[in-house]
Structures are given as structure tokens and as C-alpha cells.
Amino acid sequence: MRLLVVEDNKDLAAWLGKALRQAQYAIDIAHDGEDAEHLLKVAEYSAMILDLALPKLDGLTLLKRLRQSGSKLPVIILTANASLDGRVAGLDSGADDYLAKPFEIAELEARIRAVVRRGQDRASSEITVGNLRFSGGTRQFFVAGEPLQLTPREYAVLEQLVMKHGITVSKATLSESVFGFDDEADPSAIEIYVHRLRKKLESSSVQIATLRGLGYLLRHVQ
């Protein structure tokens, strides 16, 4: 999943970015509301972590504009304003959740998983293709009931493929799910991650097929 973190405190933003990348998310960071608004127009995100006290364009105005545009992107407000009025204003403006600073990263991760599940309207949060199973609640993969050990970027690629199993996924879409704008992406990186995934899925009943010029397809094989 790709997340947008909007936080003007650069130290906090860097810490958040590092922690969430370790939790297997691709992260983009904006330090003001105008940059965030631009990123929302050019990239697709699973959720946004939004501070309210932002320069150039404040968080509530950004959120209101987002909702007025028809976007249903899950948004978690992250702010030092823990007052009841502050929470009500944020939720009334279209936020899905509210977390006051200071906070524990584990709680933020749990809230991210919750709003994304609600946003995708997946009650079971589970997808099965052959003997490959993806649990959205724990964000884990299993092959024949056994946990599949993946690096964060292998995980990001396989997550995209399993969420769209039976549909061709372009290399560009996979790259967007793996790399943030600040990452240096090797053009051949996706091919490398797919190769590694094929090795790890050899004992499974699924296959990652290459459709030349189109992308990759995850499918069940007998």
C-alpha cells in the first residue's frame, strides 16, 4: 500500500516515513498543504495521514477540498489538538479517524489497517488464490497455511498482484506501489522482485505470468 504523510515537522515526518516503510508501506511525504494537494492529483494512495497545522494550505481546508472532489480516500488526522471541538471539526470535515500526538506507531498502524479495510469495503479482509492466502487484517501471506517470508518490496508487489488477481497489472502500477517519489527506482527492479517472488511461490498453486508489453498476471494453476 502507498500512503501519503502530510506533516510540516520534518523530523516527525522523517520518523513516520521510516517507521511506516519498515511496516511494508510505500511512503510519500508532503510538508505543506499545497504540495499534498498536488501529490493527491498525480498519485494513487491507500490512505493519507494528515496534520492540521500546515503552512500554505491548512489540513482542514485540504480535507474539505478532497471530499468536495468526490474522493473517498481514507484520512487519519494526526495533530496536537486533542480537544473535543478539534476532533469534531476534523471528523465533520470528512476524516475517517483521529489520532492525537504523541502516539505509538503500533496504534497508528492499526488505525491505518482499519480505515483501509473500511475504505475497500472488504468485510472478510481475506483473499485466496489457489493455496495462496492474503489476510488483510494482519497483512500476511500464507502458502498452504504456512507464512510466506517476504521483503517489504516483494510484499508490495505481491499485494498488488493478489488484490487484482486474474487482471493484468502493469509494471508502472507495480512500481508506484513499491516506490515513493523520493525513492531511486531502478527500471529493472520490478523484474527482480517478480523473479524472487516466483522462486518463493514455486511450492504454491499460483503463478505470476508475464504478458509482454502489458505487465504481470497472478493466476491459479492446476
Side-chain angles (χ1 to χ4, degrees):
M1 290 184 221
R2 189 172 184 175
L3 305 178
L4 176 59
V5 174
V6 190
E7 170 60 61
D8 66 328
N9 184 317
K10 294 185 178 181
D11 290 337
L12 176 57
W15 175 77
L16 269 175
K18 181 179 180 181
L20 292 172
R21 287 185 184 100
Q22 290 175 343
Q24 302 181 337
Y25 294 100
I27 303 296
D28 287 329
I29 295 174
H31 297 300
D32 64 66
E34 288 185 357
D35 282 349
E37 190 169 46
H38 171 71
L39 289 172
L40 288 167
K41 291 176 180 177
V42 300
E44 183 176 340
Y45 296 100
S46 297
M48 176 168 63
I49 315 302
L50 177 65
D51 186 26
L52 294 183
L54 297 170
K56 298 184 180 181
L57 181 68
D58 68 88
L60 281 183
T61 300
L62 173 64
L63 179 56
K64 289 176 181 177
R65 288 185 183 181
L66 182 70
R67 294 304 182 227
Q68 287 169 358
S69 72
S71 172
K72 299 184 184 300
L73 175 72
V75 175
I76 299 175
I77 287 179
L78 196 64
T79 182
N81 182 3
S83 69
L84 175 61
D85 288 344
R87 294 197 301 273
V88 170
L91 294 171
D92 282 348
S93 296
D96 297 271
D97 204 349
Y98 203 106
L99 187 59
K101 303 173 185 176
F103 60 90
E104 295 292 334
I105 192 67
E107 182 179 4
L108 176 59
E109 288 179 35
R111 289 172 183 262
I112 291 169
R113 291 192 295 270
V115 298
V116 170
R117 282 199 303 271
R118 292 199 297 267
Q120 294 175 336
D121 195 25
R122 290 182 289 124
S124 67
S125 300
E126 191 168 293
I127 299 173
T128 300
V129 185
N131 63 358
L132 175 68
R133 178 168 62 88
F134 171 65
S135 171
T138 61
R139 300 190 70 226
Q140 286 185 296
F141 285 97
F142 300 87
V143 171
E146 295 296 320
L148 187 62
Q149 301 301 318
L150 302 170
T151 67
R153 286 179 173 171
E154 291 168 356
Y155 176 97
V157 171
L158 187 56
E159 182 181 45
Q160 278 290 318
L161 291 172
V162 79
M163 294 287 286
K164 300 177 181 177
H165 67 278
I167 300 173
T168 303
V169 184
S170 70
K171 188 181 291 187
T173 297
L174 292 177
S175 185
E176 286 180 2
S177 72
V178 172
F179 301 106
F181 283 116
D182 293 333
D183 294 327
E184 293 185 9
D186 184 330
S188 64
I190 297 302
E191 296 173 14
I192 294 170
Y193 298 137
V194 168
H195 174 74
R196 292 176 182 171
L197 284 170
R198 284 173 173 151
K199 291 283 188 181
K200 294 184 177 183
L201 292 171
E202 283 180 344
S203 63
S204 76
S205 62
V206 300
Q207 179 185 74
I208 301 175
T210 300
L211 303 179
R212 293 197 177 279
L214 297 175
Y216 299 96
L217 174 70
L218 181 73
R219 61 191 180 189
H220 178 209
V221 291
Q222 301 296 330

